[in-house]
Amino acid sequence: MPEARRSSAADSRLLVAFDTPASVLAWSAVDDAVMGGLSSSHLLFDPSGHADFTGSVSLANNGGFASVRTAPGDYSAPGARAFRLAVRGDGRRYKLNLRTDDAYDGPSYQAVFSPPAGQWSEIVLAIADFTASHRGRPVDAPPLEPARIRRVGLMIADRQAGSFKLSIRWLRAEAPGSL
């Protein structure tokens, strides 16, 4: 994998790093089982220094999504213009979900990404790539304010049935000087 671009602390903020077993403890699954579906997912630490978002998406019972998210916390990134993830994909499309409140159910800001299968890469998602949605449907909301981020999540949806695995090393908020 190419070396991550170096940037000063003022240009970049590490929001999530999966470098210890404890790094996955603040995450929990929220799958379509909340509405009767049969999909399931987990976020598991891999001792080689990353986490695996893994599971299976089922379309049975009107299901079709699996997700994991953090407990509420300080993920604020004032001045951020983009988010950078170090990921290894499986050829599927995923979403980075960002929430600006502590509510369990409510709007989230989502950006879609499709990392190459089987190789580590860095994905950059601009603030403009994030759209507000609630339960998979677009909602009218102001643009994402990075300074207000309280939760981070990963999701697979869009009727992509079957097993999946997305590996992730870290997530950074990037300011203009680091892009």
Side-chain angles (χ1 to χ4, degrees):
M1 179 180 129
E3 184 175 333
R5 181 176 176 168
R6 305 274 183 220
S7 58
S8 72
D11 292 337
S12 176
R13 178 175 181 212
L14 182 64
L15 298 179
V16 176
F18 294 107
D19 51 358
T20 67
S23 62
V24 299
L25 296 179
W27 293 72
S28 60
V30 181
D31 302 322
D32 61 19
V34 298
M35 52 181 249
L38 301 175
S39 301
S40 64
S41 68
H42 309 281
L43 187 70
L44 304 170
F45 177 73
D46 184 294
S48 65
H50 67 270
D52 291 321
F53 171 43
T54 184
S56 180
V57 174
S58 170
L59 304 181
N61 297 348
N62 293 314
F65 76 89
S67 70
V68 290
R69 68 170 103 159
T70 62
D74 180 13
Y75 297 97
S76 65
R81 295 290 176 248
F83 295 90
R84 184 182 302 266
L85 302 92
V87 293
R88 179 177 59 205
D90 58 2
R92 293 174 176 260
R93 288 178 319 281
Y94 292 90
K95 295 179 182 180
L96 176 63
N97 290 345
L98 302 174
R99 292 178 179 264
T100 56
D101 62 36
D102 293 353
Y104 178 80
D105 187 28
S108 68
Y109 292 86
Q110 301 179 334
V112 176
F113 62 99
S114 300
Q119 65 184 20
W120 285 100
S121 60
E122 291 185 14
I123 305 293
V124 177
L125 301 169
I127 296 297
D129 295 336
F130 288 83
T131 57
S133 69
H134 182 247
R135 297 184 181 176
R137 292 184 170 79
V139 295
D140 187 27
L144 173 63
E145 293 180 43
R148 295 186 54 219
I149 297 171
R150 298 287 300 154
R151 288 182 184 242
V152 175
L154 298 168
M155 173 180 269
I156 183 169
D158 302 328
R159 307 197 58 76
Q160 298 179 87
S163 352
F164 66 89
K165 182 178 179 182
L166 174 72
S167 300
I168 177 169
R169 286 189 174 137
W170 45 258
L171 168 66
R172 291 184 172 280
E174 303 282 338
S178 63
L179 294 174

